[in-house]
Amino acid sequence: MIPVPAEVRPAAAADFTIDHGTAIRTAPGSAAARRVGEHLAALLRPATGYALPVGEETGTIALLLDGAGDPDGFPGDEADPERDGFVDGDEGYRLEIGAAGVTVRAAAPAGLFAAVQTLRQLLPAAIDAPGPQLGDWVLPGGRIVDRPRFAYRGVMLDIARHFFTVDELKSYIDALVQFKINHLHLHLTDDQGWRLEIDGWPRLTEVSGGAGTGVDGTGPGYLTRAGYADLVAYAAERFVTIVPEIDMPGHVNAAQVAYPELTADGAAVAVRTDTEVGYSSLVAGKEETYAFIEDVVREVAALTPGPYLHIGGDEAQATTAEDYRTFIQRVLPLVAKYGKRVVGWHEMAGVELPETAVPQFWGVAATDEGTARAAANGSKVIMSPADRAYLDMKYTAASPLGLDWAGLIDVEQAYGWDPADRLPGVGEEHVLGVEAPLWSETLRSLADVRTMTFPRLPAVAEIGWSPRATHDWESFRHRLAAFAPRWRNQGIAFHPSPEIPWVQEVSRGS
Ligand code: NGO
C-alpha cells in the first residue's frame, strides 16, 4: 500500500471475499457517502463483473459516518471497539475487514473516500483491468487506522507551456487520488499562454490561448469557464481541491501580448514560445494593472470553491525589488477581498505577509530567510523543494523528457527527504503539506505527463500522508514495485525506474 497507513493490524483467517452477493451499504441520509459507495462500486464492477448494488439498507461492505469519534484515542486502546482509535480530521478512517464483512468508519465522507483507495490497493492488481477477470477478490483480514500527517498533499500541472484538456485533467485526477492526493494546483498562465477564459478580457484566451501559444509553437488550448467549472466539480467529487494559479507580476508575456496596455509603454510585445524566464513584468505603478488583476481575481475566485488562490510571484527578475513589494502589497488585499487565501512561490515571502498567506518553497538552497520569517509569523508553508519534489526534472541524464536545472531525480531522491526537516525555521507545525509540481516545457501529451509523474509521485504522496516513523526506503521500493501491473491495467504510462524491483506478471485474467 502507498501511502502506508498509520496503523495496520492483520488478522489471520479473517479474509473477506467479494462475490456476486456483495452489496455496499452507505451511511443513512448522506448523499456524499452514497456517492463514495457508488465510486467504490464503479471501481469494482468492470473486473469482477458483479452487480454490487449500493444502498442504505443492507450490504456486507459498509461505509459509515461516525462523527462521535475520539481523536485523542489515536492510535487507540482496545477498550471500546466502537470508539477507540478513532481518527481526527476529515480524511482519517478506520477499516475493519473480517470474514463476514468490511466496515469503514470515518468522521467525514473524505475519510470514506480515502478508505476506498486503500481497499482498491488491498485487492489484486487485476481489479484495475478494464474488463472481466477470473479470480478471487479477497481482501486480507485485519484492521487499519489511518489519517494524514499533513492536510495538504498536492500536485501541480503547468497547462500554460503546453495545454491539457479537461478530459486529460480528469484522467490525471483519477490517477492521483489513488495515492490520496487532495489538491491539484493548475498553473494557468505564463509567458507563452493564458489558459483560462476571463469575462471582459476575451483576448487573453482568443489570442494567448490560440494556435502557436505553446512551447515551440504548439497549441491552441484554454479552459472555458464552463470547462473549468466542470473540472472543479469532478475534482470535488473525488475530494480534490483545485488551486488555480495566475502567475504575477512576472511570467505575464501572454497577457501583455493580448493587452499591450499592461506593458510599461503600452507598446505591443511579441508572442514568446521559447522557455526563457524572468523577462516580463506587470507594471507596479500603473492603475490599469490592478484593474486587470481585480477582474481576474474576482472571476477566478467566483469559479473556484476551494480556499486558495495562487498568485505566483516567482522569478520576477524584470521587476525591481521595490516594485515587487508594492505590487504584492496591492494584490494581497485584493485576493482577501474575494474571500481567498493567497498561496505564492516562496519569493513572495520576501514581502511581509499576513499569517493566512501560504508560501510555497520551491528552492534548492538549504535555507530561506523569507519563508522562515513567514513561518515564525504564523504562516503555513507548502514544501516543494525542486531537487526532490519537481516532477519535471529528468530521472537520469538519459531521460528524453524533462529539465535538469535542479538535478536528476530518481525515486530514491524523490523519497529521501522530510518536509519538516528541510528548512531551518520551518518545522512540523509550520508545514501545511507537500506538493509535487510538474512544469510542461518538454511535455506534449498525457503519456508524457504520466511518465514524469509515475513512479515519483507516490514517493511525495507517502511523505505527505504517512507518519514519519514509517519512512523506510526498502519497504517503499518493494511496495512501489506492486504498482507496475496496476498501472499497466489502467493504461497509465510510467518510467520503469531500475531502482524498483517491478512486479512483471499479471498472472490472472480470463
Ligand atoms: C521554476 C520556474 C518555472 C519553470 C520551472 C522549471 C518556478 C516556481 N518557476 O519553478 O517557470 O517552468 O522552474 O522546472
Side-chain angles (χ1 to χ4, degrees), residues 152 185 243-246 248 293 297 301 306-314 324 327-349 351-360 374 378-382 432:
Y152 186 111
H185 164 186
V243 180
E245 178 186 351
I246 306 293
M248 58 181 103
I293 291 170
V297 166
Y308 303 112
L309 200 156
H310 200 304
I311 61 167
D314 58 321
Y324 185 82
F327 179 88
I328 296 290
Q329 282 171 347
R330 283 287 299 264
V331 174
L332 289 169
L334 271 183
V335 176
K337 177 175 173 187
Y338 293 100
K340 297 299 170 190
R341 194 168 163 188
V342 165
V343 187
W345 300 108
H346 70 264
E347 290 98 314
M348 175 182 81
V351 176
E352 199 182 311
L353 299 174
E355 63 178 60
T356 52
V358 179
Q360 179 170 11
S379 277
K380 296 277 195 180
V381 177
I382 297 173
L432 181 62

Side-chain angles (χ1 to χ4, degrees), residues 156 158 161 187 190-192 245 247 251 275-278 310 312-315 345-347 360 362 386 390 392-393 403-406 437-441:
M156 186 209 82
D158 168 9
R161 271 58 175 269
H187 183 75
D190 213 300
D191 288 318
Q192 297 84 351
E245 178 186 351
D247 204 348
H251 290 275
T275 59
E276 275 299 306
V277 294
H310 200 304
D314 58 321
E315 298 178 318
W345 300 108
H346 70 264
E347 290 98 314
Q360 179 170 11
W362 65 280
Y390 265 35
D392 59 315
M393 291 302 119
L403 307 175
D404 61 5
W405 69 264
L438 181 47
W439 301 92
S440 63
E441 287 95 330

